[in-house]
Each structure stands twice: as C-alpha cells, then as structure tokens.
Amino acid sequence: MSVRKKASPAVPAAAKSRTSRKKSSDSSRSAASEEPIVEKKTATAPKGTLIIVESPTKARTLTRILGSGYKVKASVGHLKDLPPSKIGVDVDNGYELQFVVSEGKKKVLDEIRQAARGAREIFLASDPDREGEAIAYHIASELTGLKKPIRRVLVHELTPRGIEAALAEPGEIDLHKVDAQKARRALDRIVGYTLSPLLWERVRRGLSAGRVQSVAVRLVCDRENEIRSFVPEEYWTISLSMRPSDPARSASVFTARLDRIAGRKMQIPNAEEARKTVDRIGSEGFRIESLSADEKRRQPSPPLTTSRLQQEGARRFRFSAKKTMQLAQKLYEGVELPGQGQTGLITYMRTDSVRLAPEAQEMARNFIAKAYPQALPPRSPAYRNKKGIQDAHEAIRPTDASRTPDSLEGILDRDLLRVYRLIWQSFLESQMVPARYLLTTVIVEGDKGDTFRATGRRMLDPGFLVLRGEDLRPRKKTDANPEEEDEEKAEEENELPLLHEGEAVEAAAPPESQQHFTEPPPRYNEASLIRELEEKGIGRPSTYATIMTTILDREYVEKKENRFHPTELGETVNRLLVDSFPDLLNVAFTARMEEELDSVEEGEKIYREAVDDFYRPFSRELSKAKGGGMANLKAQSEPTTIPCPVCGTLMVKKWGRHGAYLACGNYPACKTTRNIVETENGPAPEVLPEAAGETCSTCGKPMVVRKGRFGTFLACSDYPACKTTRPWPPKGHSEPPVPLPADIPPCPACGGAMVLKTGRFGSFLSCANYPKCKTTRPLPTGIACTRPGCGGEITPRKGKRGTFYGCSHYPECDRTYPGRPVAKPCPLCGHAFLVEKKSGKRTVISCPEKGCGYESEDGEEPGITA
C-alpha cells in the first residue's frame, strides 16, 4: 500500500493531508455538539476576512448571517478545468492534467484576486465534497502569490450554528480528495476524447461514450433483452369466501386462498386443472386447523442519503434525479423567509452516510417529545452505514426540526415544499419508535386434504407512521411505487373475524378461480435504475443525476410512461461497445474502478496508479477497435425486405448523420431514401404526405412534404429524378405561402408582390420572384411608431440578445421596445399600444411608457406594478 505524502508546491499553506483536516473537522463537530440548537450570530471577525463559496445564492446566505465583518465572493462553480479543445491528459507523462481557466471565468477570477488583495485572511468554503475540494484547490493555487493565510472550511449547514462551527476550527485542503477528483476527471476525459471520435467515425457524428453512462445504457439494454426473451407462463389461483357453520356467527365472513392440494404444493397450470380443482373444492367440508397471532414490527427507514433522496423524488413525485438535486441545492443554499432573510433549510445534500450528529438527534428528540410523545423511543436509534461508505457528512436533514413543512406553506413553491417535507419527515421518522401490529394467520383444512390460508393484521401502535397519518396497508402497484407488494401481502389488509381452532366452516360463495401469467422484469425508471447503479457500485450518488440526464440527451434511451426504453441508436452503440470494449462495459470492472477512486480519496492508493489501472486495459481494447475490431456501420448496409417506393428494388438499412435510414439497394441508379418509422408490422419507410393542390413547376408531378435541417419544405415526388423544392410553412400550417393583402407595399427592388415565408428565425416578407430577386423585409406589426412626425412602423428585428422591436425608419428613428407590441391602448396613461414580454413562465402585458407602471398577466385583469 502506498500513500501520497507530497503536498502540492502551489498551495503549501492551504493543502495538507487528510489526517490533519479530518482532525480539525472532528473537533469542529465535537464543539458544535456541545452547544444547544439555537440560532445566533457568529462572533465578529477581524476586518478584511474573505470567504469564497461556489454559488451566488450561498454567498447571499452567508453574507446575511455573517454581517459586515466578512466579505463573501462566489466562484460560480469551477474556475479551472481541462481544455475543451484537447484531451488535456498526458498519458505518456504520469497522466499529468493540464488545467486552464474556464471560458467566461477570467472576470470572476480577477474579482476574487482583487478582493483577496485587500483581505487579511481567506477562507475557502466551497461544498464539502470532491468537486468542492478541487474548486478550493484551484482557487488557492491562483492566490498563493499573495502570501496570505488561506484556510479550508467545511460548511455542512448554512445556519449561524453550522457556520460558526466551521469557522471556529478551519482545516486544510484535502489533497487526497483532490487527487480522487483528478483521477475521475482523467478517466472520464480519456474515455470521452478517445472513444467518442471512434463512434463518430463508425456510426455517426455527435455521439459520445462515457465510463459510467455507457454502463447505465448497458443495464437498460440488458433489461430490454430480458423482456424480449421472456416467455410468460400461465398459472391459476383459487380463493374461497368462508364463514363459521354456526348460524349465529354466519356474518363472520373471511376470504382464504388455496395453499395446498391434497397436501402437495398448489400448481394449477391451465383452465382445465382450475375447473377440476373448483369442482373438487365444491363438495368439500372444512374446519379451522390452526390459528396463530404474532406481533410484528415495521422499522422506520434511516434518514435520507443522496441516492435515496433521488429515488424517493422519482418514486413519489416522478421528479428526475436532476430536478430533485436542483431543488435540494436550493434548500441547502438558502430560501428567503419572512423576517429571517436568506436561510438554509437542509444540511448538505451530497452524502452516502445515514449517520446523524448527536446534536441533530437531540433536536429530533426535543421536537418528538413535544409533538408526538407516544412515538419517542427511550434512546435515539442509530443506523449503520454500508461497507465502504464515505462518512464525511451526516445524512440529509432539516437544519431546524421545529420549522415544519406546514409552517412553510405559501412561502416555498409546490416542488420545493415537497422535497423539504420528504427530508423533514424522513429525518423525524428515523428517530421514532417502530410501528407494531398483530399478524394473524388462519389455516383451513378440507376433508379431502386441501388447505386454505387467510391472513390479516391489526394495528397495535402506529409508531413512526403517526407522523404521516398513514396506516400499514400495502400500497397498490403503481409505476410510482417500484417496491410493489406481492399478492400475498395484499391479503393482510383486512382484519380477520373472531375464529376458534377446530370449529367447522363452510363456503359462503362458490370458489373463484383467476388466471394469471408470470411477468417479465419491469423496465427501469429513474428510481430503480439509480438503485441498481448503487447496489452494483456504479458511479456515486453525486453523479447519478448527470448520468440520467446524459443518456436521455444523447438519445440512447427514451422515457415512455416514466420507464426507460433503449432507442435503436442506444442498442446499436451498446452492442458495438460491448463487443469491442468488454472491460469498459463490464459492471464489475467499473465498480472496481469506483472503489479505486475511493481508495485514492482515503490515501490508500496514489492518483497515477488508479488511472493506470484503467488506462492499460482500455488502451489495448482501443487499439484493437481502431484496427478493425469495431464494425463500421457507415460502410455497412443491412438488407431489408422493404421494397423501394420508386423502383421496387429491396431497400437496405444504412447509418448517416441523423441515424438509421433506408436507401434503395439499386444505388446509384436509384437514389431514393426514406426515414424509418416503426409500425405494428415492424420498421417501414416513412410515407411522405402529398401537399393538396401543389404540383411541381418543373415536371408537373405532385409535391410532397419533406423534413430538413430547417424544418419542412416541399419537394417533387419524382425525386431524385426531379430535385425541385419550394419553401413550406412549419408544422401547424395547412396552406402554402400566399400574397399578403394589397396594402402591403410591393418589393422595392423589382416591384413584385411580397409573400409571407418562414425561416429559421420565424416569419418574414420575401419577394415572390425569389431566387431572381432576394429582397426580404421584416413582418409588419401594423402599429405606428409614436414618435411625433416619424411615420414609421414597429417591426421585429434581430439583435445579439434575440428578437426586439424597433421603428422601421431606423437609423433616423432609434426607438426600440423589449417585447411584441399589442394593439391595445394603456388604460392608465393612454399610450397607443402595450408590449408583451416573458417574465419567467408568465406572459406579461405592460405599458412601455416610463413611469406608468401598468402591468397585467396575459388574459388577466390589469394591475399596477409596485
């Protein structure tokens, strides 16, 4: 085992080993744990203390809490990264990384340097994870020339208590954690910058491969193959409603399910066997063979980790992992609360640990003792982390348990409140007593040896379930609930009537038989795919949201009814990668690499060894693939049974810039191509719709609607023999371009009529004599400019920031407006028109006259802005 002991020469004062930093962090937690959970201001700092964080929101929260003694600046994420135009990893020189200032971050870095020059001391308070440690390292490397104290602080919760604890015992930059981030960055860059170009060459441009994302796609594809190869098997179940034979107790009806037939395990494979069994049962007498009642406990789940937060967000609310993490980030960085300002509502949301700090447990106990005293356990429950879990941060929890979700109604928006309620509820439930219920099992035996079983349960103590106001009934099978209850547990929902062992019972209704078929494993949704990645050790919780987003954006998978389905492109790329890169796509190999990255973070393995363990087998596979080991789909043609719609020759499937398509097998004599569409009978060529009444001006044949890079257009149906094309309105328009009303002035160049056309940037006027005359004009709004004596008209124009509206007499008249003019006078000041503009998700109608203040949402009553 080798341990990296060398500190970086760029940051000698700020970067030390993990041991020293951990010691200060532990002492910080110990100090904090001795203090009561109360909000209070931190001690006044000496003038000139600079704190550097990642996000502007976090900076605002810290500024409000710390006051004027501190200056807080935000790096807005990473300031330095590998260059975008080249790999940036020297594989021949110890895998050295070439970091450069990220595009657009030079101004931010200059502002931080300027603030640092006037500071007495500098605290680096980026997020307490690998990425945050790397950000702190890069900032420190840019500031060491100032020769000022630079310290690392780990802020786990943005509250006065949490910030004071962090600043009381600042630590040093953890170089092992920085190395772990560098190793992950190097591995991902090596794969992305070597494998992606190979896919561009062999399949199509724009594709990408990733060390972890490709394994996630493989899981989805493998599950799809399982579903395709699954052969359902038929089976039947039989249930019987029973009651005591005593007429006085005939109202005590219960339902039991056939468990054994003549002492043997029940197996009914078809309808004929089911019918015979029902006939057999119909003539049978029954009695209660045995009764048993056992007390069961349902333990609360541990507090949330990042992975479980993402899974629960997907399961309960159908949130993507990315959305859940964005909402959690906002809750951590701070939300504006009335009378309190910007306030952090939860602790740091990237953690693998289920541990809770002692002060957090005490906070929960105090709240439970007041609100739910019957659910308070004798001592705080403790939860054990899985083997190999990073325990740097405690579980996700609220910063103040007394800040209930109900108290935040109307303050947080709906989605923020849902995530906060999930975190708050999970935290408190984890510190409550288990739920207790009585599980009753009844065995009914027939005189022919057939056995029925009935179960039921009765609540004894709701325990932690009192917090959510739920009983213990199993949830129904839904897509939002991947942990589906089996059919046997569904029987436990009802409480059984009072029965006696040995008493006779009889059928209250004829036996019911029901047909079933075994089902294939379900397709992954976000919750189940994240759970699978976590169980197999693929990726880390902080990367799951990015993985989900990437495989969707790359069109390797698609969502249908909230489930992941592999696309044809995804299955094709997966097949090529599995064949050519068995190690890269191997689940065990990828999991082992994650463990090696963790070993780097723990100081048990050095950076270069971890990267080399991956690169050596990968480079060998890459050489084989480049040498012909990976199929070149661009050069291949896959035969089909689909006839060419022009000449009848069988078409072939090929790959191009935009994916798979069909081409005539008689190429180049026939150059017909078609997009592929999926039909009930399998793949088929796309049928191009004819444009009613439109004929080719060259050959007179019907025109068809085709799609290109810039939208739809008309093309001759005799293509490729005739290549005549014409513009066509985008989707949603049914008529071809027509001349505008007569009051539109003719073309100023040739006198021809102006017609309405649509391009990449919207509608515009074009000369009807195009392409002989290429004159174009903006589409008029019909609203006159309000400048006295101008006589111009407001028209749309293109600028650096998009579309704006201005006078057609520019530059003589330079009046401009930020939104589309609306031909309605202002009801307050009488201005000739209003303007429409977007404000977030709202469309707002307002008066452009300065000082007027009129504003209303589109379709609502007018109002006055403050």
Side-chain angles (χ1 to χ4, degrees):
M1 180 185 300
S2 58
V3 179
R4 182 179 185 182
K5 299 181 179 180
K6 183 181 71 173
S8 169
V11 282
K16 300 294 181 184
S17 71
R18 180 183 182 89
T19 306
S20 63
R21 185 199 61 77
K22 186 173 181 180
K23 182 178 179 181
S24 64
S25 177
D26 289 343
S27 61
S28 171
R29 283 197 293 268
S30 176
S33 66
E34 296 172 359
E35 297 179 357
I37 308 299
V38 294
E39 296 286 322
K40 60 181 181 178
K41 285 280 184 179
T42 58
T44 303
K47 294 290 183 181
T49 299
L50 173 65
I51 298 181
I52 304 172
V53 297
E54 287 184 51
S55 79
T57 303
K58 189 174 179 181
R60 288 194 296 270
T61 303
L62 279 170
T63 299
R64 180 192 67 80
I65 294 173
L66 293 172
S68 58
Y70 293 84
K71 186 171 186 178
V72 186
K73 300 291 289 184
S75 67
V76 196
H78 284 272
L79 287 177
K80 301 176 76 173
D81 197 4
L82 299 176
S85 58
K86 57 182 180 180
I87 188 171
V89 183
D90 191 346
V91 297
D92 299 321
N93 188 27
Y95 306 103
E96 288 295 328
L97 302 183
Q98 178 189 350
F99 285 102
V100 297
V101 176
S102 300
E103 185 177 355
K105 291 300 182 70
K106 185 178 184 304
K107 182 179 178 181
V108 176
L109 182 57
D110 289 342
E111 290 176 355
I112 290 176
R113 284 199 189 106
Q114 184 63 32
R117 291 189 185 99
R120 182 176 302 176
E121 59 181 348
I122 302 167
F123 289 155
L124 304 176
S126 49
D127 288 348
D129 57 11
R130 288 177 186 171
E131 296 299 320
E133 209 72 25
I135 290 172
Y137 176 85
H138 290 143
I139 293 173
S141 68
E142 293 291 328
L143 300 181
T144 47
L146 301 177
K147 301 186 182 304
K148 296 187 178 183
I150 302 175
R151 308 299 297 277
R152 177 80 166 111
V153 292
L154 302 178
V155 182
H156 296 278
E157 58 178 273
L158 290 173
T159 61
R161 176 190 64 250
I163 295 169
E164 185 172 18
L167 295 180
E169 292 287 343
E172 311 296 341
I173 292 176
D174 184 352
L175 287 182
H176 295 316
K177 190 175 285 188
V178 173
D179 277 350
Q181 192 273 344
K182 286 171 55 182
R184 179 182 294 278
R185 197 75 187 91
L187 297 182
D188 293 343
R189 181 56 73 99
I190 287 171
V191 173
Y193 272 62
T194 57
L195 196 49
S196 297
L198 185 62
L199 291 176
W200 291 18
E201 175 189 327
R202 306 294 171 91
V203 185
R204 81 175 203 199
R205 292 188 63 83
L207 298 181
S208 73
R211 186 178 57 86
V212 178
Q213 78 176 49
S214 297
V215 178
V217 173
R218 178 177 186 173
L219 291 175
V220 176
C221 292
D222 287 349
R223 177 59 56 88
E224 194 69 20
N225 290 332
E226 289 181 56
I227 294 172
R228 287 172 183 159
S229 60
F230 181 82
V231 179
E233 294 182 4
E234 181 182 6
Y235 68 97
W236 290 70
T237 58
I238 296 175
S239 58
L240 180 63
S241 292
M242 298 182 177
R243 63 188 173 197
S245 299
D246 183 357
R249 302 180 57 232
S250 61
S252 300
V253 178
F254 64 98
T255 301
R257 175 173 290 181
L258 183 62
D259 185 52
R260 304 182 78 83
I261 301 175
R264 299 188 305 275
K265 184 178 179 181
M266 186 195 71
Q267 289 183 334
I268 306 177
N270 53 53
E272 179 61 25
E273 287 295 323
R275 185 188 61 77
K276 290 179 180 179
T277 305
V278 167
D279 291 343
R280 171 191 176 93
I281 293 170
S283 60
E284 200 165 2
F286 301 96
R287 66 182 182 86
I288 304 296
E289 170 66 20
S290 65
L291 288 168
S292 63
D294 299 311
E295 183 177 312
K296 299 291 184 181
R297 294 193 173 205
R298 175 176 169 183
Q299 300 290 341
S301 298
L304 292 174
T305 61
T306 303
S307 171
R308 275 197 57 231
L309 174 64
Q310 294 171 352
Q311 292 177 47
E312 290 297 308
R315 186 180 69 82
R316 298 192 188 192
F317 316 129
R318 295 202 173 185
F319 288 170
S320 66
K322 179 179 180 181
K323 180 175 181 177
T324 299
M325 293 307 294
Q326 287 174 337
L327 293 169
Q329 181 91 28
K330 190 171 183 179
L331 292 171
Y332 165 71
E333 292 181 346
V335 175
E336 191 73 23
L337 298 182
Q340 302 177 52
Q342 201 85 8
T343 305
L345 299 183
I346 65 170
T347 56
Y348 191 58
M349 65 286 161
R350 292 187 178 91
T351 176
D352 296 342
S353 176
V354 295
R355 173 183 60 83
L356 289 173
E359 63 269 24
Q361 292 178 313
E362 188 62 28
M363 175 175 66
R365 291 185 64 82
N366 290 339
F367 180 86
I368 296 168
K370 293 177 182 178
Y372 306 98
Q374 73 279 12
L376 182 67
R379 62 176 181 271
S380 296
Y383 297 93
R384 185 174 298 176
N385 284 317
K386 295 178 181 178
K387 184 179 178 181
I389 286 298
Q390 302 298 305
D391 195 30
H393 324 299
E394 60 177 312
I396 308 169
R397 61 170 176 84
T399 56
D400 185 353
S402 64
R403 191 179 287 119
T404 65
D406 290 342
S407 70
L408 298 175
E409 288 273 6
I411 299 173
L412 302 183
D413 66 37
R414 179 171 177 261
D415 290 344
L416 270 178
L417 186 60
R418 288 164 116 183
V419 173
Y420 180 76
R421 188 184 299 276
L422 172 62
I423 294 169
W424 180 87
Q425 182 176 296
S426 176
F427 166 63
L428 288 175
E429 284 182 357
S430 73
Q431 299 302 297
M432 290 181 167
V433 297
R436 295 188 301 113
Y437 59 95
L438 190 66
L439 179 64
T440 305
T441 303
V442 177
I443 303 298
V444 180
E445 187 169 315
D447 51 27
K448 295 181 180 179
D450 301 325
T451 303
F452 283 79
R453 177 189 294 268
T455 55
R457 62 179 170 182
R458 177 168 58 88
M459 180 74 73
L460 299 177
D461 179 7
F464 71 94
L465 291 176
V466 70
L467 190 66
R468 61 177 83 172
E470 294 181 5
D471 57 24
L472 280 170
R473 288 179 297 177
R475 291 184 291 260
K476 294 180 180 179
K477 289 187 179 183
T478 64
D479 185 62
N481 177 28
E483 295 91 1
E484 290 131 343
E485 303 284 349
D486 57 32
E487 294 178 357
E488 286 74 15
K489 287 187 178 180
E491 293 181 353
E492 299 175 7
E493 179 177 342
N494 298 318
E495 188 175 340
L496 295 175
L498 181 63
L499 300 169
H500 304 288
E501 191 169 309
E503 75 173 314
V505 292
E506 62 185 15
E512 292 185 1
S513 60
Q514 188 173 3
Q515 184 186 38
H516 307 271
F517 290 93
T518 55
E519 296 181 356
R523 292 181 176 89
Y524 292 110
N525 57 18
E526 287 216 11
S528 56
L529 183 55
I530 289 173
R531 186 170 62 250
E532 186 79 1
L533 291 171
E534 183 181 34
E535 290 176 354
K536 293 185 179 301
I538 306 299
R540 285 296 176 260
S542 59
T543 66
Y544 293 153
T546 303
I547 294 170
M548 301 297 114
T549 302
T550 301
I551 62 177
L552 283 166
D553 289 346
R554 299 299 183 190
E555 299 180 356
Y556 293 147
V557 302
E558 59 185 347
K559 273 189 177 181
K560 296 178 182 178
E561 298 179 349
N562 205 40
R563 296 280 175 173
F564 285 127
H565 293 247
T567 62
E568 183 185 21
L569 174 63
E571 293 192 271
T572 300
V573 171
N574 177 69
R575 185 172 62 251
L576 291 176
L577 293 180
V578 169
D579 291 343
S580 301
F581 297 88
D583 276 346
L584 178 67
L585 274 291
N586 182 278
V587 171
F589 177 78
T590 306
R592 184 170 64 82
M593 287 310 307
E594 294 293 346
E595 292 174 358
E596 293 210 7
L597 293 177
D598 292 341
S599 297
V600 173
E601 182 171 339
E602 293 297 325
E604 299 171 356
K605 197 176 189 71
I606 65 174
Y607 159 77
R608 289 177 179 82
E609 287 180 356
V611 179
D612 193 59
D613 286 347
F614 172 85
Y615 182 72
R616 280 186 288 106
F618 174 75
S619 62
R620 290 193 296 267
E621 292 177 350
L622 183 66
S623 298
K624 291 180 182 178
K626 287 182 176 180
M630 177 184 282
N632 189 342
L633 295 187
K634 285 186 176 181
Q636 291 181 352
S637 296
E638 182 181 329
T640 74
T641 57
I642 301 171
C644 173
V646 175
C647 70
T649 304
L650 292 182
M651 304 189 84
V652 294
K653 181 179 177 181
K654 306 192 76 171
W655 284 82
R657 288 188 300 175
H658 306 296
Y661 67 97
L662 294 173
C664 181
N666 196 25
Y667 179 88
C670 178
K671 299 179 180 179
T672 302
T673 61
R674 289 289 187 270
N675 292 330
I676 302 175
V677 294
E678 289 294 330
T679 67
E680 294 181 357
N681 299 321
E686 180 183 27
V687 178
L688 301 176
E690 290 189 6
E694 292 295 319
T695 56
C696 176
S697 59
T698 303
C699 67
K701 292 188 177 180
M703 300 290 280
V704 294
V705 181
R706 301 199 72 172
K707 295 178 181 178
R709 285 196 301 164
F710 306 123
T712 54
F713 62 96
L714 291 182
C716 181
S717 58
D718 196 27
Y719 178 87
C722 178
K723 298 181 180 180
T724 302
T725 62
R726 288 210 308 268
W728 184 253
K731 189 176 181 180
H733 293 255
S734 58
E735 299 294 330
V738 296
L740 291 174
D743 57 351
I744 296 298
C747 173
C750 69
M754 300 298 286
V755 296
L756 179 67
K757 290 191 176 183
T758 302
R760 283 187 291 171
F761 306 112
S763 299
F764 63 96
L765 292 177
S766 174
C767 181
N769 293 327
Y770 180 87
K772 292 181 180 179
C773 179
K774 299 182 179 180
T775 301
T776 61
R777 284 175 51 196
L779 190 66
T781 61
I783 297 177
C785 178
T786 56
R787 181 176 178 179
C790 173
E793 183 180 345
I794 307 301
T795 60
R797 291 160 61 184
K798 283 286 177 183
K800 292 181 179 179
R801 299 182 181 179
T803 301
F804 69 97
Y805 290 80
C807 183
S808 59
H809 285 181
Y810 179 85
E812 289 79 11
C813 178
D814 59 359
R815 288 205 172 185
T816 61
Y817 303 91
R820 182 180 68 85
V822 178
K824 294 180 181 179
C826 176
L828 296 182
C829 70
H831 191 274
F833 59 87
L834 303 172
V835 294
E836 176 187 274
K837 56 184 178 181
K838 295 286 185 181
S839 178
K841 295 183 179 180
R842 303 184 305 153
T843 299
V844 177
I845 306 293
S846 62
C847 180
E849 189 69 23
K850 290 184 179 179
C852 173
Y854 169 78
E855 180 179 287
S856 72
E857 287 198 33
D858 192 14
E860 293 188 356
E861 292 297 319
I864 308 296
T865 57

